[in-house]
Amino acid sequence: ASLATGPRQNNSIFYEIRTYDIKPSKVKEFVEMVNKYLHLRTAHSELVGFWSAELGAMNRFVHVWKYDNFAHRTAVRHALANDKDWQGKFISPALHLIEKQHSEAAYLVPWCQLGKPPKEGGMYEWVTFQMKPGGPALWGEAFQAAINAHINTGYTKLIGVFHTEYGLLNTVHVIWWNESPDHRAAGRHSAHEDARVVAAVRDSVRFLESQQNVLLIPLPCSPLK
């Protein structure tokens, strides 16, 4: 226990975050294939969301899958490899569309439950924080305070906060929902003038190495819309 890097969810549920970079000329084809055939994939395990990047990245798609534990993922991957419909209708045709793939395994932080937007529509902001080595035992409280400060402004809705277990460590992904990019911009402007937000962020950035923000649009097949 003395070596623990910080608290974690009490169960074994984790989330696989998959990022695909698609060839620019093949984006439309990829979207059509996903919307047509993703039901073959979701028959095997739960999809949280499937988004395309609008700003902050180009020709990129992010999808998040939920697993009960690592044995569950292994069983799902085995079943997918033997699913002739999935392999023939999606995987084989999709391979020549993809330039790069990236996969991470992450847990929800213990003070966050996976949320849903108050209504369909709007946009998602995917924020990736690369924190200094040491884990939540070092930066967890300050990071949580910064997130709560933004929540308390009321302009944005928190969907989830994920901390990596496999992939680049000390990475935290935060998903926000906003009614529109303009609504988000106005809320951010107000937040930057809120002394409570400024103080919380100033404390948290002491542990920050880098940050990337991406505006995401959900695909029609995404459970989170």
Side-chain angles (χ1 to χ4, degrees):
S2 62
L3 297 178
T5 58
R8 203 169 68 184
Q9 294 280 3
N10 292 325
N11 54 47
S12 58
I13 292 172
F14 75 95
Y15 298 82
E16 184 176 8
I17 300 168
R18 298 180 70 90
T19 304
Y20 292 174
D21 289 342
I22 305 300
K23 296 176 182 178
S25 63
K26 300 297 184 180
V27 168
K28 181 180 179 182
E29 183 179 351
F30 180 77
V31 171
E32 291 174 348
M33 288 182 58
V34 170
N35 285 321
K36 184 175 182 180
Y37 294 119
L38 195 67
H39 69 280
L40 299 174
R41 174 62 184 83
T42 55
H44 292 275
S45 66
E46 181 180 348
L47 173 66
V48 174
F50 205 121
W51 302 269
S52 64
E54 182 72 13
L55 291 171
M58 295 291 291
N59 310 309
R60 179 169 295 174
F61 293 81
V62 180
H63 40 126
V64 179
W65 299 86
K66 180 180 179 180
Y67 293 102
D68 296 335
N69 48 46
F70 288 98
H72 179 211
R73 180 185 182 274
T74 298
V76 169
R77 302 300 294 176
H78 179 76
L80 288 169
N82 290 284
D83 186 326
K84 293 182 179 179
D85 276 349
W86 175 244
Q87 293 294 326
K89 293 179 179 179
F90 184 85
I91 294 297
S92 294
L95 288 177
H96 75 283
L97 312 180
I98 301 173
E99 286 193 324
K100 186 170 62 175
Q101 295 174 290
H102 180 68
S103 176
E104 295 173 293
Y107 293 99
L108 278 172
V109 297
W111 44 268
C112 172
Q113 298 299 317
L114 194 62
K116 293 183 178 180
K119 60 182 179 181
E120 290 189 2
M123 51 78 70
Y124 291 80
E125 182 180 9
W126 185 285
V127 189
T128 299
F129 299 90
Q130 187 58 42
M131 308 301 290
K132 291 182 178 180
L138 175 67
W139 43 257
E141 290 185 5
F143 188 87
Q144 181 180 356
I147 294 296
N148 286 336
H150 283 88
I151 293 172
N152 291 338
T153 63
Y155 80 89
T156 186
K157 165 71 174 178
L158 180 65
I159 300 300
V161 181
F162 301 89
H163 178 216
T164 54
E165 181 78 5
Y166 289 98
L168 186 60
L169 296 184
N170 297 294
T171 302
V172 183
H173 299 289
V174 182
I175 310 177
W176 301 96
W177 179 91
N178 291 277
E179 291 186 10
S180 70
D182 288 321
H183 183 265
R184 180 256 185 198
R188 292 277 292 180
H189 181 76
S190 298
H192 289 163
E193 297 180 347
D194 187 317
R196 296 166 299 178
V197 175
V198 172
V201 170
R202 183 177 292 143
D203 187 40
S204 179
V205 296
R206 295 184 294 119
F207 307 105
L208 180 66
E209 293 194 336
S210 66
Q211 176 180 339
Q212 182 182 21
N213 292 36
V214 181
L215 189 161
L216 298 176
I217 304 298
L219 270 61
C221 61
S222 176
L224 284 175
K225 291 185 171 62

